[in-house]
Amino acid sequence: MNSFVDLLISLPELFLVLTAMGMMVAGVYTSAGKAYTLISNAAVLSLFGAIGLVLFAKTGTTLAFNDLFINDGFAQYIKIILLLAAALVILIGDRAVRKIKIAHFEYPILIIFATIGMMLMVSANDLMSLYVGLELQSLALYVVAALNRDSLRSSEAGLKYFVLGALSSGMLLYGCSLIYGYAGTTSFTGLETAVAGASNISLGLLTGLVFLIVGLAFKVAAVPFHMWTPDVYEGAPTPVTAFFAAAPKVASMALFVRITMGPFQGMADQWQQIIIVLSILSMVLAALAAISQTNIKRLMAYSSIGHAGYALIGLGAGTKQGTTAILIYLAIYIVMVIGTFACILCMKRKGNSVEQINDLAGLGKSHPAIAAALLLFMFSMAGIPPLAGFFGKLYIFLAAIEAELYSLAVIGVLSSVVGSFYYLRIVKVMYFDNLSDELDSVTGKRISVIISLCALTILLFFLSPSLLVDSASTAASVLFEK
Amino acid sequence: METLAVFLPLLGAILAGLFGFVLRDRGAVLVTSSLLTISAVLSWVLFYDVIWGTGPRTVHLLNWVSVDKFIFNWALLIDQLTVVMLVVVTTVSSVVHWYSIGYMHHDKSIPRFFAYLSFFTFFMLMLVTSDNLIQMFFGWEGVGLCSYLLIGFWFDKPSANAAAIKAFVVNRVGDFGYALGIFGVFVLFGTIQLDDIFLAASSKAEAKIIFLGIEFHAITVLCLLLFIGAMGKSAQLGLHTWLPDAMEGPTPVSALIHAATMVTAGVFMVCRLSPLFEYSETALAVVAVVGASTAFFAATVGLTQNDIKRVIAYSTCSQLGYMFFAAGLSAYGAAMFHLFTHAFFKALLFLGSGCVIHAMSDEQDMRKMGGIRKLVPITYIYMWIGSLALAGIGIPGLGGFAGFHSKDIILESAWAADSIFGYYSFWLGLIAALMTAFYSWRLLFLTFHGQARCDERTLAHVHESPAIMWVPLLVLAAGAVVAGYLGHTVFAGGGDQMRSFWGDALFMLPTHTALENAHKVPLWVKVSPLAAGLMGISIAYIFYIQNNKLPSNCAARFKPLYEISYNKWYFDELYDRIFVKPAFVIGRYLWKSGDGAVIDRLGPDGLAMVTLRFSRLVSILQTGYVYHYAFAMLIGLVGLVSWYVFSEFLR
């Protein structure tokens, strides 16, 4: 095994690790006032650099580090989304981070570390590397959630996330050990042959898989492992919440796909049942709970739980079409979520952030542009054609229909009807309620540009959906060509 | 030219309706009125050309529907019947347009009014020029719509809205019959093209139609259904209740729509479909009986009404009855003749009464008028001309006012029909003629003679109408005077003369000779309508000029009869009891108990409530305590694991 080739295969990750370390050193030696600006710009640049490296990397499936690490089309697709999300989150959070005085240079570095963890997760080809990636991500996230040390709520959010995350890690590890015990290997390749070869699935292996899935369900915030989400989303600083809602979701969902469609493909009949239950619970509960929320970040938490539920439909289908649908859904979801959080970050009154839904009253008159963008995002999340969100849902439901999961599709459609209520409520508040105190006007060119780009993507997606659909389909087919 | 004549009013309506804010009042008024006048001139040219020139023709405009055998076009059928209607409609309409400039000058939404008027005219022209039943239905519904809009023109008046809705709903009953008739025609003939139907009519004369296991004579059923439509539009007995209420609209509207044109559409339709009606004795008999009964009924009601416009409205209803029984006795020529003359003198009466109302500061109650003949001499003369024409006064052998010729030929045809329905129609028509004369002069005497009964201020304000109002009326007055004399030979004359005028537009079986024999009736029959008219006038003179205590005495003496007449034979009350009230009761029940209590409660409201309750429940679960969250996770885990353990165990 040529170790140099290994390094080449994991070049994007290595690049990020090195630049992050370099930035850490540079941050220490830069004066406190300038450090954040310098490091955050460098972080964005290095994230875009990593995107370049991913794009120009060799295509095709390659293994590295004694088969612990895999790089394939699927991983590349997800990595691009992740890196883009991380870069955008740093960009849109810039002003807010300064405002709430958490503009430490460690913040962008922690984001990068979390991103590296996620990239390792999607490239994991062994239960061991999976766990290491997951923990790297989680540890970084625990810290950023509690980054605003002066705020009680932020600290509480960090702590809650840490305690519950530890619990879920424990479950995941326990599941890994059970699987190792019953299958005799931790390698995905080995597991695949073990599962496919077994004439009868042992209960022990099955229990191990359940524990593993529960650990992952915690990360994607599927019901009933979602309880941390609203509290953490609300408590964490808003730029951090944006990151939470975007990148880790995608990474965990990709990992979910990687495991279920890869090593445990042979147990599809078994895990499908769990996934369907989780999916239904998530969709229904999120739709119901979101109705009575007054805080927009909490609302977005439930929204993200609901979206996880919809994505799980695609997983429940267990087909290539379902996987394609998930990949499309995730890409569209990221754009919507970053756009929405960019709008939320713009909500300020006399310099202070506000996050109640009622604060949006009259936004349609006072800030027509941002209200129009938020309207687009909300309509898109509710799944109203011809916006991108509609297509995301469409492919998911189509996959469910093709897989003959009719009741799942029907429940999905019904809960998205209920869900559209709270999205439309925001629109109603913006356009039909009387103006309360006017919000501040939007400051920052970057954030305006990002909001417009996201809005345009959502609005014009229907012109050429094949751009995304084709690459998602190529990425998904990697998992099924064996 | 045909196309222009029909579509110029539409152009006017569009310009005034959609661009009224650009044209302003003056522009809208001038555009619509001039376009209509051009259309009227073209119509007269067409009239001359069709009858004495190139003859009937069909102008194809567009293909409309072509589905298997169901094929029809937008086309203008220009034949003798059409051109008669064309000149009536466009002439009266243009007079009404010009008149309205004066009458409506203080109104707030003049462009809208003129747009509606022109729009109405367009639909009316569509109706009379159609060469198939669907296009006719299009015009039919269109005039209904415009009638609704114009009755409710002053939409801030609740009574106007109620009247508009009433007109619409009652017409709907008729239109339903008409629509069923069209369906039936298509079933029977496989086409709705008029000329194809007429060609096939004789071969289907014996056809049967089976409905609910009972066999009916097909053409009779169709004709009766179509006639229900005609009854609704022409306010015949049973479906007449909307017409008097329609007087809530502005007076020019009453003149145009509810006297001269739209209400005669039913008569026109029966005449147009004469080749169909001729093959059903039963249907013709029904038409005759309904017409004669309406003529009598409406005349009795007209005797006692106090609202000047309502008197004329019942008079219209009654005169329409005459037209119908003429048609029912196969005297289509006579019916169309009366339609033609009636349009002139009835529009004149309406517009004249409009002048009166205008002069009396919008007072319509005749009990509060009186003695104003010296103050409004021109109007007074117009009303005399109109009344003379309506009562049918003339000199036998020489000629007379319009109604003298047209009403006489109808009554003579009724006698000449020599059937039980003919005699029924004749006698009722004769009595109605007497009453017509009576209420016409009652109106004249109450309005213009005697003591002024209005208050000082109104009286001081009484003035003759401006020239823009009375000058256009000259046209109608001329028509009321000479239309009968000029038309009596061509419209309903004997033998070839009439046939050469109508061509193939009207069809009469050789056995139906009412109109043919009308010219050979005994002398007393010829004189009796005039005698009845003169008698009516004399009685009115005695009642209202010589001894003005007599009316109240009579009313007291014959109280039950007076009450029946005054309350319009209790039709409104009857309908209210039978249809309106139960409909409201059922509606309220379905609304409160059906929709509100069942559908809403179990449907939208219930679901929303359940959703909200669940939502609160879920929020309560979100306690904020870490150990609760951990507990939920563990419960979920245990649940999932035990699911597998148990299912494995069961297997």
Side-chain angles (χ1 to χ4, degrees):
Chain A
M1 191 59 63
N2 187 340
S3 56
F4 182 68
V5 175
D6 286 357
L7 294 181
L8 264 187
I9 291 169
S10 59
L11 192 58
E13 286 85 353
L14 283 180
F15 170 73
L16 277 183
V17 168
L18 291 175
T19 47
M21 288 179 175
M23 278 186 265
M24 218 149 30
V25 176
V28 173
Y29 285 100
T30 316
S31 66
K34 292 178 188 162
Y36 173 72
T37 318
L38 177 76
I39 301 299
S40 68
N41 286 341
V44 172
L45 282 178
S46 63
L47 285 166
F48 277 109
I51 293 178
L53 290 176
V54 173
L55 278 177
F56 294 109
K58 212 170 73 177
T59 51
T61 308
T62 40
L63 296 170
F65 305 115
N66 295 323
D67 296 356
L68 285 173
F69 187 93
I70 185 169
N71 190 25
D72 55 9
F74 178 78
Q76 283 171 334
Y77 178 92
I78 296 292
K79 280 177 192 170
I80 291 171
I81 295 180
L82 291 176
L83 291 165
L84 205 59
L88 290 179
V89 164
I90 295 176
L91 284 175
I92 60 171
D94 192 55
R95 299 227 167 206
V97 163
R98 289 169 203 274
K99 179 73 207 163
I100 49 180
K101 304 212 169 61
I102 53 166
H104 316 298
F105 70 90
E106 291 91 345
Y107 164 67
I109 298 175
L110 282 168
I111 296 277
I112 291 189
F113 277 133
T115 313
I116 298 168
M118 294 175 211
M119 291 167 77
L120 289 178
M121 279 159 68
V122 293
S123 274
N125 198 35
D126 192 292
L127 291 175
M128 308 291 266
S129 50
L130 178 158
Y131 183 71
V132 171
L134 199 66
E135 281 307 290
L136 177 55
Q137 178 225 223
S138 301
L139 280 172
L141 290 182
Y142 299 149
V143 181
V144 283
L147 200 58
N148 191 3
R149 284 171 300 181
D150 301 337
S151 154
L152 198 63
R153 275 163 61 202
S154 176
S155 315
E156 183 191 330
L159 196 62
K160 266 183 190 166
Y161 189 37
F162 175 64
V163 172
L164 295 172
L167 180 63
S168 84
S169 289
M171 291 177 183
L172 188 117
L173 266 184
Y174 187 56
C176 291
S177 63
L178 271 176
I179 291 167
Y180 176 63
Y182 281 88
T185 173
T186 56
S187 149
F188 285 1
T189 331
L191 281 170
E192 192 167 1
T193 35
V195 169
S199 55
N200 199 1
I201 306 292
S202 71
L203 192 57
L205 186 58
L206 195 53
T207 314
L209 180 61
V210 173
F211 273 87
L212 184 63
I213 289 179
V214 166
L216 290 173
F218 175 84
K219 296 289 174 205
V220 298
V223 178
F225 312 102
H226 68 287
M227 308 282 274
W228 60 277
T229 329
D231 293 10
V232 173
Y233 276 37
E234 189 187 351
T238 312
V240 176
T241 309
F243 189 62
F244 268 65
K249 272 262 147 129
V250 175
S252 315
M253 192 57 76
L255 186 56
F256 227 138
V257 174
R258 166 85 75 196
I259 288 182
T260 47
M261 299 292 176
F264 294 101
Q265 181 111 60
M267 291 166 70
D269 288 345
Q270 279 79 17
W271 57 252
Q272 260 181 334
Q273 299 171 21
I274 309 181
I275 300 295
I276 290 170
V277 170
L278 293 179
S279 160
I280 291 175
L281 284 176
S282 305
M283 292 187 300
V284 173
L285 189 123
L288 290 177
I291 290 175
S292 46
Q293 301 307 322
T294 52
N295 181 299
I296 194 160
K297 280 161 77 184
R298 257 186 119 74
L299 182 89
M300 288 308 292
Y302 282 107
S303 159
S304 83
I305 295 171
H307 284 296
Y310 294 116
L312 285 175
I313 293 183
L315 195 56
T319 55
K320 186 191 160 201
Q321 199 186 357
T323 312
T324 314
I326 295 177
L327 294 180
I328 297 169
Y329 196 88
L330 290 177
I332 292 171
Y333 168 75
I334 283 288
V335 180
M336 296 191 298
V337 127
I338 288 184
T340 312
F341 270 100
C343 293
I344 296 174
L345 285 167
C346 293
M347 287 168 61
K348 272 179 247 159
R349 185 171 297 137
K350 302 202 179 77
N352 295 314
S353 303
V354 288
E355 44 195 48
Q356 295 300 309
I357 293 175
N358 288 339
D359 292 327
L360 290 170
L363 198 69
K365 291 204 190 75
S366 57
H367 300 88
I370 200 152
L374 196 52
L375 170 122
L376 272 181
F377 297 133
M378 288 301 126
F379 273 163
S380 175
M381 290 218 190
I384 289 166
L387 303 176
F390 163 73
F391 289 95
K393 283 207 171 70
L394 177 72
Y395 290 117
I396 290 279
F397 291 140
L398 274 181
I401 296 289
E402 293 283 322
E404 298 185 350
L405 296 171
Y406 300 119
S407 46
L408 188 56
V410 168
I411 293 172
V413 171
L414 288 181
S415 60
S416 74
V417 170
V418 179
S420 60
F421 169 81
Y422 56 84
Y423 296 125
L424 294 183
R425 187 160 66 111
I426 293 182
V427 174
K428 178 241 166 198
V429 169
M430 287 195 301
Y431 282 94
F432 299 106
D433 283 8
N434 285 328
L435 189 63
S436 49
D437 284 343
E438 198 166 314
L439 295 180
D440 298 349
S441 54
V442 181
T443 45
K445 244 183 213 150
R446 288 174 180 177
I447 201 163
S448 320
V449 170
I450 290 174
I451 292 179
S452 346
L453 279 181
C454 290
L456 280 178
T457 315
I458 295 296
L459 184 62
L460 302 177
F461 173 78
F462 75 96
L463 291 181
S464 158
S466 60
L467 278 180
L468 180 64
V469 174
D470 288 350
S471 49
S473 167
T474 326
S477 64
V478 173
L479 296 179
F480 291 85
E481 282 165 5
K482 271 168 194 166
Chain B
M1 184 162 74
E2 298 85 350
T3 323
L4 271 185
V6 173
F7 285 93
L8 282 180
L10 178 64
L11 179 68
I14 292 173
L15 287 178
L18 301 185
F19 303 100
F21 60 97
V22 184
L23 296 171
R24 300 301 175 84
D25 290 359
R26 205 173 176 76
V29 162
L30 286 179
V31 164
T32 49
S33 305
S34 339
L35 286 176
L36 240 146
T37 311
I38 298 172
S39 168
V41 171
L42 290 175
S43 300
W44 279 101
V45 175
L46 275 176
F47 180 79
Y48 180 83
D49 188 50
V50 167
I51 289 169
W52 292 286
T54 44
R57 72 200 86 138
T58 304
V59 181
H60 177 253
L61 296 177
L62 276 175
N63 297 327
W64 187 4
V65 169
S66 172
V67 181
D68 193 28
K69 280 192 296 179
F70 194 54
I71 301 167
F72 48 91
N73 304 321
W74 290 104
L76 303 178
L77 168 63
I78 308 289
D79 69 354
Q80 292 87 345
L81 199 55
T82 304
V83 289
V84 170
M85 292 304 286
L86 275 185
V87 296
V88 169
V89 172
T90 53
T91 309
V92 176
S93 181
S94 46
V95 168
V96 166
H97 269 80
W98 291 112
Y99 175 91
S100 301
I101 298 176
Y103 191 83
M104 301 295 287
H105 73 91
H106 49 65
D107 200 88
K108 282 192 288 285
S109 35
I110 291 176
R112 182 164 65 94
F113 181 76
F114 281 84
Y116 286 169
L117 275 189
S118 285
F119 204 43
F120 164 80
T121 312
F122 164 70
F123 275 122
M124 194 66 207
L125 296 179
M126 229 41 239
L127 194 164
V128 299
T129 55
S130 76
D131 77 331
N132 62 65
L133 287 172
I134 300 279
Q135 191 185 329
M136 198 192 278
F137 193 63
F138 167 75
W140 192 271
E141 293 298 298
V143 292
L145 166 72
C146 292
S147 156
Y148 166 81
L149 291 174
L150 282 165
I151 296 171
F153 180 74
W154 289 317
F155 52 76
D156 44 0
K157 258 175 41 183
S159 59
N161 278 323
I165 292 171
K166 187 174 180 182
F168 207 67
V169 172
V170 175
N171 265 299
R172 209 95 324 253
V173 178
D175 293 349
F176 185 60
Y178 186 18
L180 285 179
I182 298 177
F183 304 154
V185 165
F186 186 70
V187 169
L188 187 65
F189 293 98
T191 174
I192 48 149
Q193 208 65 36
L194 289 176
D195 38 6
D196 296 339
I197 297 170
F198 298 161
L199 278 179
S202 62
S203 63
K204 301 277 187 189
E206 301 304 320
K208 304 283 184 208
I209 215 165
I210 296 173
F211 182 70
L212 293 178
I214 310 169
E215 211 177 50
F216 294 101
H217 182 232
I219 290 189
T220 302
V221 172
L222 298 185
C223 288
L224 287 179
L225 286 173
L226 293 167
F227 179 59
I228 291 175
M231 280 173 69
K233 196 108 305 191
S234 294
Q236 290 302 286
L237 194 59
L239 296 178
H240 66 280
T241 53
W242 66 272
L243 184 60
D245 288 18
M247 297 304 132
E248 287 292 339
T251 307
V253 172
S254 310
L256 176 62
I257 301 185
H258 306 117
T261 55
M262 185 186 82
V263 290
T264 61
V267 182
F268 164 78
M269 193 243 277
V270 172
C271 292
R272 169 63 87 204
L273 298 176
S274 56
L276 208 57
F277 276 83
E278 279 297 283
Y279 288 101
S280 172
E281 296 293 339
T282 322
L284 284 177
V286 170
V287 174
V289 170
V290 167
S293 308
T294 309
F296 175 77
F297 153 78
T300 60
V301 177
L303 295 177
T304 55
Q305 299 306 307
N306 291 322
D307 183 315
I308 186 167
K309 283 178 74 183
R310 274 178 192 257
V311 173
I312 309 179
Y314 276 104
S315 154
T316 306
C317 198
S318 167
Q319 296 304 310
L320 290 167
Y322 277 96
M323 299 175 207
F324 270 110
F325 78 67
L329 300 168
S330 292
Y332 303 105
M336 285 307 293
F337 183 34
H338 196 52
L339 189 162
F340 184 74
T341 58
H342 173 258
F344 289 103
F345 62 72
K346 191 51 67 64
L348 178 67
L349 279 172
F350 259 120
L351 295 180
S353 72
C355 291
V356 172
I357 295 168
H358 198 70
M360 301 293 296
S361 314
D362 293 334
E363 180 58 61
Q364 302 198 8
D365 193 331
M366 293 193 293
R367 285 171 299 188
K368 295 183 184 155
M369 296 178 181
I372 57 165
R373 66 179 182 278
K374 297 236 170 64
L375 299 169
V376 287
I378 304 174
T379 309
Y380 181 57
I381 293 169
Y382 280 150
M383 290 303 273
W384 260 94
I385 295 175
S387 298
L388 284 170
L390 174 62
I393 303 302
I395 305 165
L398 273 176
F401 290 94
F404 170 73
H405 297 278
S406 57
K407 193 190 280 181
D408 278 16
I409 192 74
I410 287 179
L411 287 171
E412 286 159 16
S413 309
W415 178 268
D418 195 26
S419 66
I420 177 161
F421 306 112
Y423 295 123
Y424 176 81
S425 307
F426 175 75
W427 287 112
L428 284 188
L430 197 60
I431 300 169
L434 191 152
M435 292 189 283
T436 307
F438 174 80
Y439 64 64
S440 298
W441 265 265
R442 173 175 174 262
L443 187 154
L444 277 178
F445 292 148
L446 279 178
T447 311
F448 296 102
H449 293 257
Q451 293 296 314
R453 292 180 295 276
C454 55
D455 55 47
E456 297 277 320
R457 257 183 58 212
T458 318
L459 193 64
H461 193 252
V462 171
H463 58 282
E464 186 55 85
S465 307
I468 190 68
M469 283 167 75
W470 68 261
V471 171
L473 293 195
L474 282 176
V475 178
L476 297 180
V481 176
V482 299
Y485 180 74
L486 293 180
H488 79 284
T489 47
V490 287
F491 274 88
D496 295 336
Q497 216 171 8
M498 188 183 82
R499 210 146 287 152
S500 77
F501 179 80
W502 288 112
D504 297 328
L506 294 179
F507 174 80
M508 278 171 273
L509 283 183
T511 47
H512 290 164
T513 51
L515 195 50
E516 203 62 34
N517 294 341
H519 303 275
K520 304 163 193 157
V521 291
L523 185 65
W524 71 269
V525 172
K526 278 183 190 283
V527 182
S528 58
L530 178 66
L534 291 174
M535 199 147 78
I537 296 172
S538 325
I539 298 173
Y541 183 75
I542 296 168
F543 266 54
Y544 293 97
I545 298 291
Q546 281 203 326
N547 182 356
N548 45 21
K549 289 228 172 57
L550 212 50
S552 47
N553 286 349
C554 263
R557 175 73 61 82
F558 304 104
K559 195 164 175 53
L561 287 177
Y562 175 78
E563 286 287 322
I564 288 179
S565 163
Y566 184 72
N567 290 304
K568 310 150 218 164
W569 292 37
Y570 297 102
F571 263 98
D572 280 327
E573 285 76 6
L574 194 69
Y575 283 176
D576 193 52
R577 202 62 63 75
I578 299 178
F579 299 115
V580 181
K581 286 244 172 67
F584 270 107
V585 169
I586 295 171
R588 188 170 291 274
Y589 174 78
L590 288 179
W591 167 38
K592 292 277 188 198
S593 319
D595 192 50
V598 179
I599 298 177
D600 274 359
R601 206 162 66 88
L602 297 184
D605 289 354
L607 275 178
M609 211 134 75
V610 170
T611 312
L612 215 60
R613 205 167 292 164
F614 269 107
S615 167
R616 295 218 182 90
L617 195 73
V618 173
S619 297
I620 291 170
L621 285 180
Q622 196 77 30
T623 52
Y625 296 119
V626 174
Y627 53 89
H628 283 169
Y629 297 177
F631 181 70
M633 286 169 66
L634 286 176
I635 287 288
L637 177 74
V638 169
L640 290 176
V641 170
S642 30
W643 164 258
Y644 282 105
V645 174
F646 276 110
S647 59
E648 190 75 7
F649 191 68
L650 290 175
R651 215 188 306 150

